[in-house]
Every structure is written in C-alpha cells, then in structure tokens.
C-alpha cells in the first residue's frame, strides 16, 4: 500500500510533510531487518499514531529493547514537544513577549508562583533522584482582569516545557475531550496544562449543565505516577463555583493562590508601563495611583490609555 503523507506545522508558519500511514523497511548495522507500520490512531481527534515494529520470528528476542529505545526516541522528537499549542494541537504563534517583570504582583506572590511552577519544572533531576513524581496542580483565583491569563502567557514564553492552552471553547464541540488533553500532555511532557476559566469546565455543572467534564478532570488529575512531568495550572474568577472535590483535595490542586486586586505599588507599575512615553507622566502618577484604588490591573491599564487619549 502506498504511504499517505500529511502536512504539519512544526514551527509557526513552517510546514513539513510526515507519513501518517504506511510502512518503512530498514536494516540494522548487523543486517537484521525490521518493518515499521504507521497508522493513525482512531478516536483521538486525529493527533495520535499507532506504530508497530515487526521482525522475523527467529530474530524477535531483541524487539522489546529496540521498541523501548524507539518509543523513547519518538517521545523526545515529537514535533509538538516544547511548543506552545492549543488542545487541538494547533501551534499558537508567538504573541508579544511577556515576562515576569511585566506582571505587577506582590513579591510574595511572585515567589509562590516561581516555587510552585518554575522551580518544579527546573528540578526534574532532583525529583528523579528522590523517586518522587514531578507533578503539581496550581489554581489561580481572583477578580477578572488581575493578570491570571497574563501569568499563562509568561509561562508559555519562558517555561522549559510543552505548553497546552485549554479553553472551554476548545472542548465545546466534543471533538476533543479532557482525557485526550491529558493524554497529549503526558506524551509531550514535561508539560504545563493551562485551563483558562476552570469554573466553566468544572463547576458543579459545566456550561451545558453536564458533569462529564468534571468527572474526567477528577479522574485524570488523580494518580501520581501517570502524571509525572505534568503541571496543571487553572484560573478562575469564581472560586465558589469550583467543585470542592477538585480544589480541597491536595492530590489535585496542591496550591490555591489568590491573585488579588493590585495594591498601590502594583498600580503604579502598571501606570508607569503604559505611560512610559507620555510626557508629564510623573506629575500625574500619585493622583493616578490614588484614583485607581479598587481597580483591577486591566482597568488600571484602561485608565492609562484614557489619560493619554484625553491629553491628545
Ligand atoms: P484575568 O485573566 O485575571 O482576567 P488578564 O490577565 O486577562 O486578567 O488581564 C488583562 C490585561 O490587563 C493584561 O493583559 C494586562 O495588560 C493587564 N493586567 C491585568 N493584571 C495585571 C497585572 N497584575 N500586571 C500588569 N498588567 C496587568
């Protein structure tokens, strides 16, 4: 049978053709021969592949080791590994770069985010040495516009991991399931699985009035071994709506972090950033900081833009 190829985006804007169905024949250095069959996996949204390795029966004793090596190689070389993607597998092109310094948060919160996410990712070897799965669940909650999504953007730009962005819209048409998303994250690990607006998936009822997504999420987040290399970060504006079984059991979300409305120093930082080209910004800074008490970060940014517009 002749092979089938498909084009995949391997870097934003760069496409390669890959064989998605067919067979390959190859010869090892000692002349032994192998056949590799490749076919698409059914029922995984078209992202999975079934690979079968075949040898002559007299020469089959080495197959398990070879298979292990091959599997390892395939895992290391998956074209989505280390990329920033949606749950559909589509690459998210590079947006404007955001760094930790761009987010106005208290030092304490910066520290806690770093410890819970960045440090966990950077210390893979220490987890290994101590025989502990590298795994973490972090729930970020707080009023809208306080920078939770922005934290996701920073992680997507900086973390040494595959970053998978999941919104409820991705799952809405049923082509992609929670189980699929976790399975993809495990294959591409270490991964950050970022659920935006978790309450929409995992409230007591989801937005279709069903509870399937929640049940799936509970079962996928359980279990240490299978989730080695998996960091789940979720955001919500509505902590009350999150099912207690999800947020109150340590094995699922280890850290539940409040992202509050910005304090004066944070509001100043946001105003300064958005007024950095505005002459006379320093003259209005104190008033701006005082007038925006109780505003979210997004609203403070709006104020900065309004100031410039009014002045113009
Ligand atoms: P959330 O996800 O908490 O609703 P976002 O991260 O989407 O909020 O915030 C929207 C925008 O508001 C951000 O892109 C950023 O421009 C601004 N913003 C919000 N919070 C902060 C913050 N703490 N520091 C700097 N900018 C902020």
């Amino acid at each position: 049978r002749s092979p089938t190829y498909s084009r995949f985006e391997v870097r934003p804007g760069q496409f390669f053709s890959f064989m998605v169905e067919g067979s390959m024949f190859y010869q090892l250095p000692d002349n032994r021969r192998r056949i590799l069959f490749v076919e698409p996996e059914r029922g995984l949204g078209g992202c999975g592949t079934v690979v079968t390795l075949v040898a002559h029966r007299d020469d089959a004793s080495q197959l398990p080791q070879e298979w292990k090596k091959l599997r390892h190689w395939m895992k290391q070389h998956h074209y989505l590994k280390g990329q920033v993607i949606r749950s559909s597998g589509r690459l998210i092109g590079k947006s404007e770069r955001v760094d930790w310094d761009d987010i106005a948060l208290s030092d304490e919160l910066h520290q806690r985010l770093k410890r819970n996410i960045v440090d966990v990712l950077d210390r893979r070897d220490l987890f290994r040495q101590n025989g502990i799965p590298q795994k973490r669940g972090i729930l970020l909650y707080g009023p809208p516009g306080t920078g939770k999504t922005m934290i996701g953007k920073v992680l997507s730009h900086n973390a040494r991991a595959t970053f998978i962005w999941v919104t409820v819209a991705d799952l809405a048409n049923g082509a992609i399931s929670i189980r699929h998303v976790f399975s993809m994250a495990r294959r591409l690990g270490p991964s950050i699985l970022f659920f935006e607006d978790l309450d929409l998936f995992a409230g007591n009822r989801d937005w279709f009035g069903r509870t399937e997504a929640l049940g799936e999420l509970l079962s996928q987040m359980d279990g240490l071994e299978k989730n080695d290399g998996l960091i789940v970060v979720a955001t919500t504006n509505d902590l009350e709506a999150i099912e207690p079984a999800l947020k109150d059991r340590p094995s699922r979300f280890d850290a539940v972090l409040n992202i509050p409305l910005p304090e004066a120093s944070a509001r100043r930082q946001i105003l300064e950033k958005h007024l950095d080209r505005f002459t006379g910004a320093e003259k209005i800074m104190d008033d701006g900081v005082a007038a925006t008490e109780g505003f979210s970060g997004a609203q403070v940014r709006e104020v900065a833009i309004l100031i410039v517009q009014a002045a113009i």
Side-chain angles (χ1 to χ4, degrees):
R1 223 180 337 149
S2 52
T4 318
Y5 291 84
S6 270
R7 265 159 62 83
F8 290 86
E9 194 175 16
V10 291
R11 298 275 172 278
Q14 189 188 353
F15 291 82
F16 274 3
S17 275
F18 288 102
M19 185 172 78
V20 289
E21 186 151 23
S23 31
M24 281 190 315
F25 300 84
Y26 65 95
Q27 198 157 16
L28 298 172
D30 56 9
N31 292 338
R32 290 178 301 144
R33 288 167 183 186
R34 297 289 179 262
I35 310 174
L36 199 70
F37 291 105
V38 177
E39 58 189 311
E41 187 171 22
R42 314 284 166 209
L44 252 188
C47 289
T49 301
V50 180
V51 175
T52 314
L53 182 64
V54 178
H56 190 274
R57 89 165 86 72
D58 298 341
D59 177 28
S61 65
Q62 297 298 312
L63 269 188
Q65 278 105 302
E66 285 171 24
W67 177 241
K68 227 177 133 185
K69 265 198 203 161
L70 186 67
R71 265 186 73 105
H72 182 72
W73 186 90
M74 289 193 296
K75 196 170 180 230
Q76 293 306 315
H77 290 82
H78 197 294
Y79 76 106
L80 290 177
K81 200 174 161 69
Q83 309 258 32
V84 181
I85 56 180
R86 295 201 166 278
S87 53
S88 60
R90 203 160 51 80
L91 296 186
I92 299 177
K94 287 261 179 287
S95 55
E96 188 201 350
R97 200 186 160 85
V98 247
D99 282 304
W100 288 114
D101 291 345
D102 298 321
I103 311 187
L105 295 174
S106 67
D107 289 346
E108 190 203 336
L109 211 44
H110 263 289
Q111 283 295 332
R112 293 184 71 181
L113 288 166
K114 185 167 173 298
R115 284 184 77 85
N116 277 289
I117 307 174
V118 183
D119 290 355
V120 174
L121 279 167
D122 284 352
R123 297 184 184 172
R124 186 165 185 76
D125 293 347
L126 283 174
F127 282 94
R128 282 271 151 82
Q129 276 168 32
N130 288 284
I132 289 177
Q134 181 196 26
K135 166 190 177 293
R136 202 86 183 141
I138 301 99
L139 179 58
L140 308 174
Y141 75 94
T146 47
K148 299 179 292 299
T149 308
M150 206 178 171
I151 292 170
K153 285 193 185 145
V154 175
L155 290 170
S156 75
H157 280 114
N158 296 290
R160 286 194 279 162
T162 307
F163 187 97
I164 307 175
W165 196 290
V166 193
T167 63
V168 79
D170 297 337
L171 306 180
N173 64 11
I176 297 165
S177 66
I178 299 259
R179 192 169 56 86
H180 162 77
V181 172
F182 272 84
S183 139
M184 182 159 80
R186 289 186 195 109
R187 279 182 209 199
L188 300 172
S191 300
I192 296 178
L193 203 44
F194 192 89
F195 287 95
E196 190 172 3
D197 295 324
L198 182 73
D199 47 293
L200 300 182
F201 305 75
N204 299 319
R205 280 148 168 257
D206 69 16
W207 65 320
F208 306 112
R210 300 178 317 207
T211 55
E212 289 150 33
L214 174 64
E216 258 310 309
L217 202 61
L218 290 173
S219 81
Q220 293 295 331
M221 285 192 77
D222 261 341
L224 284 171
E225 300 306 327
K226 69 174 182 188
N227 288 335
D228 189 14
L230 192 61
I231 314 279
V232 176
V233 182
T235 70
T236 182
N237 300 330
D238 187 3
L239 188 64
E240 292 300 309
I242 306 282
E243 167 69 30
L246 202 53
K247 65 179 179 207
D248 299 337
R249 257 195 50 190
S251 68
R252 289 165 183 152
F253 285 107
D254 312 274
V256 179
L257 302 183
N258 179 17
I259 312 293
L261 292 172
E263 292 168 6
S265 60
R267 298 199 300 277
R268 181 177 297 271
Q269 188 185 331
I270 298 169
L271 284 173
E272 280 173 354
K273 181 180 160 195
H274 293 284
L275 293 174
D276 65 340
R277 286 192 271 175
F278 181 64
T279 30
E282 63 284 358
K283 277 187 256 159
I284 54 159
M285 198 50 72
D286 289 341
D287 286 344
V289 172
T292 51
E293 168 139 33
F295 285 30
S296 71
Q299 289 168 330
V300 176
R301 186 193 58 177
E302 278 306 304
V303 168
I305 294 168
L306 288 173
I307 290 173
V308 181
Q309 279 178 346
I312 290 171

